[in-house]
Amino acid sequence: MRAGVLALQGAFREHIRALRALGAEAVEIRLPAELDEVDGLIIPGGESTAMRKLMADFGFIGPLREFAATGKPVFGTCAGLIVMAERLGGRRQELLNLIDIDVERNAYGRQVDSREADIHGEALGPEPFHAVFIRAPQILGAGPGVEPLSRYRGSVVLARQKNILAATFHPELTDDTRIHGLFLQLFDRKAR
Ligand code: GLN
């Protein structure tokens, strides 16, 4: 079982570290052809406008859609969630379209760039998860195929749609590897 982390931009190194801490083999993905060598992929946080441009420039859009369509797990965090979303502010975004959610960028306002909060959810187990939000997006709405796994102040912050996992926060910035563990569980389940 081999996991890739899209390494065009953003917090990819921290995801590699979290995956390795769980004993998984983890590699950086910089070219579309490298997707053939992994069984699942993380799209990290960073800056979605830069990531969108780099994904297009490096020819990742079609290959990433195909990768997800085969049922291989894809986990997007923060900017990674934004580029996976079907809709941005109610309008369809033509990009990866991997998960049926509507997202608002930088939803918590400029004054509060970053916040930390304990979140809960059955999938996380009995202990709260300390979530780090950095210029975080907010999920405004989700289609019926999307399973909410955790909420913060009424909106979904962790969700799954079949083989696609999405978080509005940065689970790679804490030592708690439970959410990376959820991602690795999708490898076994074939997530269909
Ligand atoms: N605000 C960033 C964006 O819109 C996302 C921030 C992040 O990934 N931490 O792309």
Side-chain angles (χ1 to χ4, degrees), residues 3-12 15 19 29 35 40-48 51-52 55 60-61 63-65 67-68 73-85 95-99 164-172 180 183:
V5 181
L6 191 65
L8 297 176
Q9 199 264 340
F12 53 88
H15 281 290
L19 291 167
I29 301 292
L35 289 172
L41 183 77
I42 293 181
I43 307 179
E47 189 55 47
S48 58
M51 208 178 293
R52 160 199 285 272
M55 285 192 308
F60 264 108
I61 313 290
L64 281 175
R65 284 184 177 166
F67 184 88
V74 181
F75 177 25
T77 61
C78 206
L81 168 145
I82 295 170
V83 298
M84 296 198 310
L95 199 56
L96 302 178
N97 306 98
L98 299 188
I99 181 164
I164 309 298
L165 183 66
T168 63
F169 53 94
H170 282 263
E172 78 286 7
H180 289 83
F183 167 62

Side-chain angles (χ1 to χ4, degrees), residues 95-126:
L95 199 56
L96 302 178
N97 306 98
L98 299 188
I99 181 164
D100 188 9
I101 54 175
D102 183 14
V103 170
E104 187 187 337
R105 293 180 57 205
N106 302 319
Y108 296 94
R110 291 233 157 165
Q111 266 90 354
V112 193
D113 260 5
S114 158
R115 71 173 69 194
E116 301 188 10
D118 284 342
I119 60 167
H120 304 264
E122 211 175 296
L124 299 170

Side-chain angles (χ1 to χ4, degrees), residues 139-186:
I139 298 177
L140 303 175
V146 179
E147 183 189 354
L149 301 180
S150 183
R151 287 189 166 82
Y152 171 63
R153 295 198 171 169
S155 53
V156 175
V157 292
L158 180 66
R160 184 174 84 97
Q161 178 182 311
K162 294 183 184 164
N163 54 318
I164 309 298
L165 183 66
T168 63
F169 53 94
H170 282 263
E172 78 286 7
L173 296 184
T174 55
D175 290 333
D176 190 336
T177 51
R178 277 179 285 164
I179 294 178
H180 289 83
L182 286 178
F183 167 62
L184 293 176
Q185 274 174 27
L186 296 176

Side-chain angles (χ1 to χ4, degrees), residues 2-17 19-20 24-38 40-44 60 64:
R2 220 162 174 235
V5 181
L6 191 65
L8 297 176
Q9 199 264 340
F12 53 88
R13 287 184 191 85
E14 292 81 355
H15 281 290
I16 298 258
R17 198 178 309 140
L19 291 167
R20 289 185 182 158
E25 201 184 331
V27 293
E28 294 179 4
I29 301 292
R30 294 174 188 276
L31 293 170
E34 293 167 346
L35 289 172
D36 294 342
E37 284 143 44
V38 293
L41 183 77
I42 293 181
I43 307 179
F60 264 108
L64 281 175

